[in-house]
Amino acid sequence: MLRRIKLKPLLIFDRVLVSQSIARAARELNLTQPAVTKAIQELEADLGVELFERTNRGVVPTCYAALLGDRVKAVIAELRYLTDELNSFRSGESGHVVVGTLISASARLLPIAIAKLKADRPGVLVTVREGPTDRLFPALATGELDLVVGRLPEADLPLARMYSFRHTELYSEALCAVVWSEHPLASQPKIELKQLLDWPWLLPTIESPARLRAERLFADAGLPMPSNVVESLSLLTNIGLLQSMQAINLMPRAVAQHFAQLKLLKILELGDIGAFGRIGYSVRGDRASTPAAARFIDCLTLAAKELQ
């Protein structure tokens, strides 16, 4: 099987798996649809299994495709590592860094670090992928991401024990409550948490570690959870909802201060209402970072010092 399987059909398979469409994969790869179909059929013949079920709406991956998909992503990631290493040896100025980011880093820490990297190494391509913890860390484990930046997972969470990661703390972040700049509460000099229960709230999703911090905030104050809640981890969506719903959101203080300086949000005078958590970056514990990723980590460290 190792002698029969070629790299190109695996790359085509990965595009079809992601897009779940022969036509879309063909456009992205600049190939004809018959060429893509033939490559998938040859791969199925080599493996002796059916990878996709054809429907009138596209193709549906089988269980075999799901199994093969994780392995193929790891192969593609290893090839990307090889390309970065070769480029770095040749010029020292190129490479590709794929960063996963959580909300705690996406507004200030990450942009500052990327700006520093591009000022020093403009030839390095940076790709940013935003998502929740339970999606980013499996992607880091397979090599799709070089690092994840944001709130570090708690040591006792299954996620932290499931994979071989190395976590580095850059600073600790406090939590604060924010509203839209023109919210009726924005001008009040002092507010108690119990006054906020009747307003709409934006909270992290149930599976997010930040949700535990939010629930603990109300429990420690002897208060019930708000009843009017929207669950969202999208920073852009949350900012829109803060304006349109006059909602209240819990936000890392550094992120909140950034949007307060832009006159978009107002930090409510509740003080720091608890620790949001440790902010830093995570990498795979079983491999060294590529030269481009290592340089980006240096920029992250410098950016964190500016925020403290």
Side-chain angles (χ1 to χ4, degrees), residues 107-271:
R108 291 294 291 149
L109 175 62
L110 193 58
I112 293 174
I114 292 174
K116 289 182 177 296
L117 177 68
K118 296 299 284 186
D120 181 52
R121 306 282 176 89
V124 174
L125 171 64
V126 180
T127 300
V128 179
R129 297 179 182 171
E130 189 177 47
T133 299
D134 59 351
R135 292 183 185 174
L136 293 180
F137 279 91
L140 177 61
T142 62
E144 294 176 75
L145 302 177
D146 292 305
L147 68 161
V148 173
V149 183
R151 186 181 187 273
L152 299 178
E154 302 293 340
D156 57 346
L157 288 179
L159 183 68
R161 303 191 303 266
M162 193 178 304
Y163 304 104
S164 176
F165 296 135
R166 186 172 71 253
H167 307 288
T168 301
E169 179 179 349
L170 296 175
Y171 56 90
S172 294
E173 183 70 286
L175 201 62
C176 64
V178 300
V179 294
W180 187 249
S181 57
E182 298 178 7
H183 193 285
L185 295 174
S187 59
Q188 293 195 22
K190 189 174 181 180
I191 301 172
E192 294 184 4
L193 185 61
K194 63 182 179 181
Q195 295 176 253
L196 308 181
L197 288 178
D198 292 333
W199 292 93
W201 276 79
L202 309 178
L203 295 177
T205 54
I206 291 292
E207 66 274 9
S208 169
R211 178 60 173 262
L212 296 176
R213 177 61 258 177
E215 293 177 352
R216 195 177 303 137
L217 169 67
F218 291 97
D220 290 347
L223 297 171
M225 289 288 291
S227 58
N228 187 355
V229 170
V230 173
E231 295 180 343
S232 170
L233 289 173
S234 168
L235 182 60
L236 185 60
T237 299
N238 287 353
I239 291 175
L241 290 172
L242 285 170
Q243 179 184 20
S244 60
M245 287 181 55
Q246 292 194 333
I248 300 169
N249 187 207
L250 295 178
M251 194 174 282
R253 180 162 284 274
V255 178
Q257 288 174 335
H258 171 67
F259 288 107
Q261 290 172 358
L262 296 175
K263 309 294 185 184
L264 294 176
L265 304 182
K266 173 73 174 180
I267 300 174
L268 296 181
E269 296 301 326
L270 291 168

